[in-house]
mmCIF file of all heavy atoms in Angstrom:
data_model
loop_
_atom_site.group_PDB
_atom_site.id
_atom_site.type_symbol
_atom_site.label_atom_id
_atom_site.label_comp_id
_atom_site.label_asym_id
_atom_site.label_seq_id
_atom_site.Cartn_x
_atom_site.Cartn_y
_atom_site.Cartn_z
ATOM 1 N N GLN A 24 -58.233 -10.307 -101.171
ATOM 2 C CA GLN A 24 -59.033 -9.351 -100.543
ATOM 3 C C GLN A 24 -58.387 -7.960 -100.494
ATOM 4 O O GLN A 24 -57.193 -7.849 -100.144
ATOM 5 C CB GLN A 24 -59.563 -9.779 -99.175
ATOM 6 C CG GLN A 24 -58.372 -9.881 -98.184
ATOM 7 C CD GLN A 24 -58.873 -10.252 -96.755
ATOM 8 O OE1 GLN A 24 -59.798 -11.045 -96.627
ATOM 9 N NE2 GLN A 24 -58.389 -9.662 -95.722
ATOM 10 N N GLY A 25 -59.084 -6.933 -100.932
ATOM 11 C CA GLY A 25 -58.532 -5.638 -100.893
ATOM 12 C C GLY A 25 -57.914 -5.143 -102.215
ATOM 13 O O GLY A 25 -57.831 -3.890 -102.512
ATOM 14 N N GLU A 26 -57.552 -6.070 -103.115
ATOM 15 C CA GLU A 26 -56.898 -5.615 -104.276
ATOM 16 C C GLU A 26 -57.935 -4.960 -105.259
ATOM 17 O O GLU A 26 -57.548 -4.110 -105.964
ATOM 18 C CB GLU A 26 -56.244 -6.833 -105.048
ATOM 19 C CG GLU A 26 -57.123 -7.838 -105.675
ATOM 20 C CD GLU A 26 -56.403 -8.810 -106.661
ATOM 21 O OE1 GLU A 26 -55.665 -9.676 -106.124
ATOM 22 O OE2 GLU A 26 -56.415 -8.538 -107.864
ATOM 23 N N GLU A 27 -59.250 -5.301 -105.099
ATOM 24 C CA GLU A 27 -60.301 -4.615 -105.867
ATOM 25 C C GLU A 27 -60.436 -3.180 -105.457
ATOM 26 O O GLU A 27 -61.131 -2.437 -106.058
ATOM 27 C CB GLU A 27 -61.576 -5.319 -105.711
ATOM 28 C CG GLU A 27 -62.310 -5.222 -104.418
ATOM 29 C CD GLU A 27 -61.881 -6.164 -103.315
ATOM 30 O OE1 GLU A 27 -60.763 -6.687 -103.412
ATOM 31 O OE2 GLU A 27 -62.678 -6.382 -102.288
ATOM 32 N N LEU A 28 -59.881 -2.761 -104.232
ATOM 33 C CA LEU A 28 -59.896 -1.416 -103.784
ATOM 34 C C LEU A 28 -58.535 -0.650 -104.136
ATOM 35 O O LEU A 28 -58.405 0.520 -103.943
ATOM 36 C CB LEU A 28 -60.013 -1.360 -102.275
ATOM 37 C CG LEU A 28 -61.238 -2.133 -101.749
ATOM 38 C CD1 LEU A 28 -61.209 -2.088 -100.196
ATOM 39 C CD2 LEU A 28 -62.517 -1.563 -102.298
ATOM 40 N N GLY A 29 -57.577 -1.430 -104.756
ATOM 41 C CA GLY A 29 -56.300 -0.837 -105.096
ATOM 42 C C GLY A 29 -55.414 -0.743 -103.874
ATOM 43 O O GLY A 29 -54.419 0.048 -103.959
ATOM 44 N N LEU A 30 -55.625 -1.511 -102.851
ATOM 45 C CA LEU A 30 -54.800 -1.415 -101.661
ATOM 46 C C LEU A 30 -53.343 -1.675 -101.989
ATOM 47 O O LEU A 30 -53.002 -2.698 -102.583
ATOM 48 C CB LEU A 30 -55.296 -2.323 -100.550
ATOM 49 C CG LEU A 30 -56.578 -2.111 -99.907
ATOM 50 C CD1 LEU A 30 -56.798 -3.073 -98.779
ATOM 51 C CD2 LEU A 30 -56.752 -0.696 -99.333
ATOM 52 N N PRO A 31 -52.438 -0.749 -101.457
ATOM 53 C CA PRO A 31 -51.007 -1.062 -101.475
ATOM 54 C C PRO A 31 -50.563 -1.800 -100.251
ATOM 55 O O PRO A 31 -51.414 -2.071 -99.334
ATOM 56 C CB PRO A 31 -50.410 0.337 -101.484
ATOM 57 C CG PRO A 31 -51.364 1.140 -100.576
ATOM 58 C CD PRO A 31 -52.800 0.563 -100.894
ATOM 59 N N GLU A 32 -49.332 -2.295 -100.299
ATOM 60 C CA GLU A 32 -48.776 -2.765 -99.048
ATOM 61 C C GLU A 32 -48.779 -1.764 -97.978
ATOM 62 O O GLU A 32 -48.398 -0.576 -98.264
ATOM 63 C CB GLU A 32 -47.318 -3.191 -99.302
ATOM 64 C CG GLU A 32 -46.636 -4.066 -98.254
ATOM 65 C CD GLU A 32 -47.028 -5.547 -98.369
ATOM 66 O OE1 GLU A 32 -47.944 -5.970 -99.227
ATOM 67 O OE2 GLU A 32 -46.376 -6.323 -97.672
ATOM 68 N N ALA A 33 -48.951 -2.193 -96.753
ATOM 69 C CA ALA A 33 -48.791 -1.199 -95.621
ATOM 70 C C ALA A 33 -47.309 -1.203 -95.188
ATOM 71 O O ALA A 33 -46.920 -2.118 -94.434
ATOM 72 C CB ALA A 33 -49.672 -1.665 -94.418
ATOM 73 N N VAL A 34 -46.540 -0.343 -95.739
ATOM 74 C CA VAL A 34 -45.128 -0.327 -95.667
ATOM 75 C C VAL A 34 -44.627 0.165 -94.292
ATOM 76 O O VAL A 34 -43.609 -0.378 -93.764
ATOM 77 C CB VAL A 34 -44.471 0.491 -96.771
ATOM 78 C CG1 VAL A 34 -43.010 0.722 -96.563
ATOM 79 C CG2 VAL A 34 -44.793 -0.108 -98.122
ATOM 80 N N ASN A 35 -45.413 1.115 -93.711
ATOM 81 C CA ASN A 35 -44.818 1.799 -92.550
ATOM 82 C C ASN A 35 -45.365 1.262 -91.179
ATOM 83 O O ASN A 35 -45.532 2.073 -90.245
ATOM 84 C CB ASN A 35 -45.124 3.298 -92.598
ATOM 85 C CG ASN A 35 -44.374 3.877 -93.805
ATOM 86 O OD1 ASN A 35 -43.090 3.736 -93.857
ATOM 87 N ND2 ASN A 35 -44.987 4.621 -94.668
ATOM 88 N N LEU A 36 -45.688 -0.059 -91.162
ATOM 89 C CA LEU A 36 -46.024 -0.604 -89.869
ATOM 90 C C LEU A 36 -44.870 -0.495 -88.875
ATOM 91 O O LEU A 36 -43.722 -0.815 -89.174
ATOM 92 C CB LEU A 36 -46.414 -2.064 -89.985
ATOM 93 C CG LEU A 36 -47.598 -2.382 -90.795
ATOM 94 C CD1 LEU A 36 -47.770 -3.959 -90.998
ATOM 95 C CD2 LEU A 36 -48.894 -1.875 -90.138
ATOM 96 N N PRO A 37 -45.188 -0.027 -87.606
ATOM 97 C CA PRO A 37 -44.035 -0.002 -86.594
ATOM 98 C C PRO A 37 -43.636 -1.445 -86.220
ATOM 99 O O PRO A 37 -44.455 -2.351 -86.194
ATOM 100 C CB PRO A 37 -44.798 0.770 -85.458
ATOM 101 C CG PRO A 37 -46.215 0.492 -85.576
ATOM 102 C CD PRO A 37 -46.429 0.381 -87.090
ATOM 103 N N ASP A 38 -42.369 -1.538 -85.903
ATOM 104 C CA ASP A 38 -41.810 -2.819 -85.491
ATOM 105 C C ASP A 38 -42.634 -3.511 -84.396
ATOM 106 O O ASP A 38 -42.830 -4.728 -84.382
ATOM 107 C CB ASP A 38 -40.388 -2.730 -85.151
ATOM 108 C CG ASP A 38 -39.483 -2.459 -86.336
ATOM 109 O OD1 ASP A 38 -39.978 -2.459 -87.534
ATOM 110 O OD2 ASP A 38 -38.317 -2.144 -86.160
ATOM 111 N N GLU A 39 -43.032 -2.712 -83.436
ATOM 112 C CA GLU A 39 -43.695 -3.278 -82.278
ATOM 113 C C GLU A 39 -45.065 -3.832 -82.622
ATOM 114 O O GLU A 39 -45.680 -4.630 -81.789
ATOM 115 C CB GLU A 39 -43.825 -2.241 -81.156
ATOM 116 C CG GLU A 39 -44.577 -0.909 -81.524
ATOM 117 C CD GLU A 39 -43.667 0.158 -82.075
ATOM 118 O OE1 GLU A 39 -42.609 -0.183 -82.562
ATOM 119 O OE2 GLU A 39 -44.159 1.302 -82.073
ATOM 120 N N ALA A 40 -45.596 -3.477 -83.746
ATOM 121 C CA ALA A 40 -46.959 -4.016 -84.145
ATOM 122 C C ALA A 40 -46.820 -5.338 -84.957
ATOM 123 O O ALA A 40 -47.852 -6.002 -85.205
ATOM 124 C CB ALA A 40 -47.664 -2.901 -84.990
ATOM 125 N N ARG A 41 -45.638 -5.602 -85.532
ATOM 126 C CA ARG A 41 -45.506 -6.716 -86.378
ATOM 127 C C ARG A 41 -45.694 -8.113 -85.666
ATOM 128 O O ARG A 41 -45.375 -8.192 -84.512
ATOM 129 C CB ARG A 41 -44.121 -6.681 -87.063
ATOM 130 C CG ARG A 41 -44.021 -5.520 -87.944
ATOM 131 C CD ARG A 41 -42.736 -5.493 -88.788
ATOM 132 N NE ARG A 41 -42.674 -4.350 -89.673
ATOM 133 C CZ ARG A 41 -43.259 -4.254 -90.825
ATOM 134 N NH1 ARG A 41 -43.863 -5.256 -91.356
ATOM 135 N NH2 ARG A 41 -43.191 -3.110 -91.547
ATOM 136 N N GLN A 42 -46.310 -9.009 -86.377
ATOM 137 C CA GLN A 42 -46.642 -10.359 -85.780
ATOM 138 C C GLN A 42 -46.100 -11.485 -86.589
ATOM 139 O O GLN A 42 -46.206 -12.668 -86.089
ATOM 140 C CB GLN A 42 -48.176 -10.415 -85.588
ATOM 141 C CG GLN A 42 -48.747 -9.362 -84.676
ATOM 142 C CD GLN A 42 -50.145 -9.689 -84.203
ATOM 143 O OE1 GLN A 42 -50.579 -10.886 -84.147
ATOM 144 N NE2 GLN A 42 -50.829 -8.623 -83.921
ATOM 145 N N ASP A 43 -45.602 -11.371 -87.824
ATOM 146 C CA ASP A 43 -45.194 -12.417 -88.666
ATOM 147 C C ASP A 43 -43.936 -13.104 -87.933
ATOM 148 O O ASP A 43 -42.906 -12.393 -87.692
ATOM 149 C CB ASP A 43 -44.829 -11.969 -89.967
ATOM 150 C CG ASP A 43 -44.577 -13.027 -91.001
ATOM 151 O OD1 ASP A 43 -44.348 -14.154 -90.626
ATOM 152 O OD2 ASP A 43 -44.621 -12.753 -92.272
ATOM 153 N N PRO A 44 -43.931 -14.372 -87.825
ATOM 154 C CA PRO A 44 -42.773 -15.028 -87.285
ATOM 155 C C PRO A 44 -41.504 -14.824 -88.087
ATOM 156 O O PRO A 44 -40.373 -14.860 -87.465
ATOM 157 C CB PRO A 44 -43.056 -16.570 -87.252
ATOM 158 C CG PRO A 44 -44.470 -16.717 -87.778
ATOM 159 C CD PRO A 44 -45.020 -15.403 -88.036
ATOM 160 N N THR A 45 -41.606 -14.534 -89.342
ATOM 161 C CA THR A 45 -40.471 -14.279 -90.173
ATOM 162 C C THR A 45 -39.640 -13.089 -89.680
ATOM 163 O O THR A 45 -38.427 -13.028 -89.564
ATOM 164 C CB THR A 45 -40.856 -13.959 -91.592
ATOM 165 O OG1 THR A 45 -41.547 -15.080 -92.160
ATOM 166 C CG2 THR A 45 -39.628 -13.627 -92.442
ATOM 167 N N PHE A 46 -40.383 -12.007 -89.119
ATOM 168 C CA PHE A 46 -39.670 -10.857 -88.667
ATOM 169 C C PHE A 46 -38.870 -11.147 -87.407
ATOM 170 O O PHE A 46 -37.678 -10.649 -87.248
ATOM 171 C CB PHE A 46 -40.764 -9.759 -88.279
ATOM 172 C CG PHE A 46 -40.198 -8.477 -87.729
ATOM 173 C CD1 PHE A 46 -39.683 -7.583 -88.563
ATOM 174 C CD2 PHE A 46 -40.366 -8.140 -86.443
ATOM 175 C CE1 PHE A 46 -39.116 -6.308 -88.085
ATOM 176 C CE2 PHE A 46 -39.820 -6.985 -85.902
ATOM 177 C CZ PHE A 46 -39.192 -6.075 -86.779
ATOM 178 N N PHE A 47 -39.401 -12.013 -86.540
ATOM 179 C CA PHE A 47 -38.774 -12.312 -85.260
ATOM 180 C C PHE A 47 -37.634 -13.345 -85.477
ATOM 181 O O PHE A 47 -36.607 -13.205 -84.891
ATOM 182 C CB PHE A 47 -39.720 -12.741 -84.257
ATOM 183 C CG PHE A 47 -40.774 -11.758 -84.021
ATOM 184 C CD1 PHE A 47 -42.104 -11.855 -84.547
ATOM 185 C CD2 PHE A 47 -40.595 -10.635 -83.248
ATOM 186 C CE1 PHE A 47 -43.051 -10.978 -84.304
ATOM 187 C CE2 PHE A 47 -41.489 -9.624 -83.040
ATOM 188 C CZ PHE A 47 -42.756 -9.781 -83.598
ATOM 189 N N ARG A 48 -37.889 -14.345 -86.325
ATOM 190 C CA ARG A 48 -36.835 -15.334 -86.560
ATOM 191 C C ARG A 48 -35.608 -14.883 -87.301
ATOM 192 O O ARG A 48 -34.536 -15.475 -87.315
ATOM 193 C CB ARG A 48 -37.416 -16.626 -87.209
ATOM 194 C CG ARG A 48 -38.403 -17.415 -86.296
ATOM 195 C CD ARG A 48 -38.947 -18.585 -86.918
ATOM 196 N NE ARG A 48 -37.923 -19.544 -87.350
ATOM 197 C CZ ARG A 48 -37.506 -20.548 -86.460
ATOM 198 N NH1 ARG A 48 -37.967 -20.637 -85.260
ATOM 199 N NH2 ARG A 48 -36.550 -21.387 -86.883
ATOM 200 N N THR A 49 -35.796 -13.730 -87.999
ATOM 201 C CA THR A 49 -34.675 -13.137 -88.727
ATOM 202 C C THR A 49 -34.113 -11.911 -87.972
ATOM 203 O O THR A 49 -33.360 -11.100 -88.610
ATOM 204 C CB THR A 49 -35.052 -12.787 -90.217
ATOM 205 O OG1 THR A 49 -36.100 -11.819 -90.193
ATOM 206 C CG2 THR A 49 -35.500 -13.988 -90.944
ATOM 207 N N ASN A 50 -34.597 -11.634 -86.824
ATOM 208 C CA ASN A 50 -34.160 -10.501 -86.057
ATOM 209 C C ASN A 50 -34.415 -9.206 -86.829
ATOM 210 O O ASN A 50 -33.614 -8.255 -86.769
ATOM 211 C CB ASN A 50 -32.662 -10.598 -85.691
ATOM 212 C CG ASN A 50 -32.423 -11.822 -84.726
ATOM 213 O OD1 ASN A 50 -33.144 -11.974 -83.763
ATOM 214 N ND2 ASN A 50 -31.375 -12.512 -85.011
ATOM 215 N N GLY A 51 -35.508 -9.156 -87.477
ATOM 216 C CA GLY A 51 -35.916 -7.981 -88.223
ATOM 217 C C GLY A 51 -35.284 -7.789 -89.539
ATOM 218 O O GLY A 51 -35.491 -6.782 -90.237
ATOM 219 N N GLU A 52 -34.427 -8.702 -90.004
ATOM 220 C CA GLU A 52 -33.805 -8.518 -91.245
ATOM 221 C C GLU A 52 -34.855 -8.605 -92.431
ATOM 222 O O GLU A 52 -34.661 -8.002 -93.487
ATOM 223 C CB GLU A 52 -32.669 -9.539 -91.534
ATOM 224 C CG GLU A 52 -31.446 -9.405 -90.667
ATOM 225 C CD GLU A 52 -30.447 -10.415 -90.858
ATOM 226 O OE1 GLU A 52 -30.551 -11.179 -91.851
ATOM 227 O OE2 GLU A 52 -29.483 -10.463 -90.090
ATOM 228 N N LYS A 53 -35.925 -9.457 -92.172
ATOM 229 C CA LYS A 53 -36.949 -9.547 -93.145
ATOM 230 C C LYS A 53 -38.247 -8.984 -92.486
ATOM 231 O O LYS A 53 -38.594 -9.386 -91.344
ATOM 232 C CB LYS A 53 -37.194 -10.961 -93.641
ATOM 233 C CG LYS A 53 -36.082 -11.569 -94.389
ATOM 234 C CD LYS A 53 -36.458 -12.999 -94.853
ATOM 235 C CE LYS A 53 -35.369 -13.604 -95.713
ATOM 236 N NZ LYS A 53 -35.640 -14.924 -96.167
ATOM 237 N N TYR A 54 -38.986 -8.126 -93.131
ATOM 238 C CA TYR A 54 -40.221 -7.547 -92.594
ATOM 239 C C TYR A 54 -41.320 -8.658 -92.633
ATOM 240 O O TYR A 54 -42.268 -8.524 -91.752
ATOM 241 C CB TYR A 54 -40.648 -6.322 -93.313
ATOM 242 C CG TYR A 54 -39.817 -5.134 -93.015
ATOM 243 C CD1 TYR A 54 -38.834 -4.689 -93.886
ATOM 244 C CD2 TYR A 54 -40.074 -4.440 -91.816
ATOM 245 C CE1 TYR A 54 -38.088 -3.504 -93.535
ATOM 246 C CE2 TYR A 54 -39.238 -3.284 -91.444
ATOM 247 C CZ TYR A 54 -38.234 -2.951 -92.352
ATOM 248 O OH TYR A 54 -37.512 -1.754 -91.984
ATOM 249 N N GLY A 55 -41.266 -9.588 -93.541
ATOM 250 C CA GLY A 55 -42.276 -10.585 -93.614
ATOM 251 C C GLY A 55 -43.623 -10.094 -94.253
ATOM 252 O O GLY A 55 -43.597 -9.196 -94.984
#
């Protein structure tokens, strides 16, 4: 979904908005 619109990755999400467990289990080393 959204690729038909040409959507890029949302790169500049603030850390406080992130929800992927990968971000928290790696202490922010991976954005997820």
Side-chain angles (χ1 to χ4, degrees):
Q24 66 178 39
E26 72 169 78
E27 75 277 20
L28 307 176
L30 289 186
E32 190 85 350
V34 171
N35 293 308
L36 292 175
D38 288 354
E39 59 270 19
R41 295 187 179 275
Q42 300 196 27
D43 189 342
T45 300
F46 180 75
F47 301 103
R48 289 182 63 89
T49 63
N50 295 315
E52 290 182 12
K53 295 182 178 180
Y54 284 103

